[in-house]
Amino acid sequence: MTQQTWDEVGGVLPHDEFRAASEAVVANIEQVIEGKTATVRLALAVLLAEGHLLIEDVPGVGKTKLAKALARSIDCSVRRIQFTPDLLPSDVTGVSVYNQETHDFEFRPGAVFANLVVGDEINRASPKTQSALLECMEERQVTVDGVTYQLQTPFMVIATQNPIEMEGTYPLPEAQRDRFTARIAMGYPGPEAELAMLDGHGAADPLQELRPVSDADTVRRLIATVRNVHVADAVKQYAVDLVTATREAPDLRLGASPRATLQLLRTARAVAALEGRDYVLPDDLQALAVPVLAHRIIPTADAQLARRTTDAIVAELVHRLALPPDRKRPTGYDTPRPAAGNGRPPFEPRRP
């Protein structure tokens, strides 16, 4: 059977089918992850935006559980990689092995040949091994011994890392970080969610009982639907202005790349679709600025001495940048925005 590559997706789903399929995935993940609806929805938005997700937080808050719950909610191929200092690039991409029966080399695919690749503690592998992901994350292909192998769609890398315990770790290089569409933090659960976790997780792990509620074909159609979400010229200009502001900010010595602009717009399309709209609002870009841009930028030495985080710098730029004068929905795109109280909290822009 021929595998569909990254640029081959199915037909567009009707609005009701899109909503039902996406809400089923979110509800399924929330059987494992308590009280983190906005985080779960953002993780799904990254998948539908054809991107990759970096989950960075302290130990024990559910980083790996979120990654595995998203993977298990979709009936497709899933591979997990535990990144360690002795992991080799060939363990990730694959290797050519000599077959004595055929007297020829045959390729044995590595762990990256799957729809969803979960990389746990990615910063514990050496830079040589980390760089094995560069080609597949950007070009959706793997080249081994001069032969290029296409990856199937959907394809997503979900990586976790711990920013606190840095002994024995290798910080991700800028080229690697820039390939992650968004970086999210789980955060601690609220008291009610933590109490519910004790009831739900005390006797058994709900992750072991999780069953798929979607499949690869459905996800491909969800992606095709997201690609058709309308973006007005004024919204595109706002995205460019927002990314340009990071390049001109005095507190930053490295701003966001053009890839960041593209991924910001793609993720905004996915968020708009999950909110029940077929058009993007500037508010979507505001809400996504921190998770999509903050991990790509590098502060100056003075900003670091002042203990200014990249999250705070991006949030301040969002606060200062003027919104487009016309924020109404475009003519001909009349899909109503979901009302409050529908169980789907909107993505709120962060303020410094």
Side-chain angles (χ1 to χ4, degrees), residues 143-165:
T143 303
V144 178
D145 294 335
V147 181
T148 299
Y149 304 90
Q150 297 293 328
L151 298 175
Q152 55 187 317
T153 189
F155 174 72
M156 181 184 189
V157 175
I158 311 173
T160 70
Q161 69 174 3
N162 174 11
I164 302 300
E165 188 182 44

Side-chain angles (χ1 to χ4, degrees), residues 28-41:
N28 204 49
I29 298 174
E30 288 188 316
Q31 296 182 44
V32 178
I33 305 297
E34 301 279 353
K36 295 294 179 181
T37 302
T39 302
V40 170
R41 293 177 65 80

Side-chain angles (χ1 to χ4, degrees), residues 87-99:
L87 191 72
L88 297 175
S90 58
D91 297 328
V92 177
T93 59
V95 64
S96 296
V97 179
Y98 183 73
N99 189 326

Side-chain angles (χ1 to χ4, degrees), residues 210-238:
L210 208 62
R211 296 293 178 265
V213 294
S214 186
D215 55 27
D217 289 336
T218 302
V219 173
R220 281 191 281 267
R221 297 190 66 188
L222 291 172
I223 291 173
T225 305
V226 167
R227 287 183 179 181
N228 282 349
V229 172
H230 174 74
V231 184
D233 291 340
V235 177
K236 294 178 182 177
Q237 185 61 54
Y238 181 73

Side-chain angles (χ1 to χ4, degrees), residues 259-270:
R259 181 192 286 126
T261 314
L262 181 61
Q263 294 186 345
L264 178 63
L265 208 59
R266 286 178 175 174
T267 313
R269 279 192 171 107

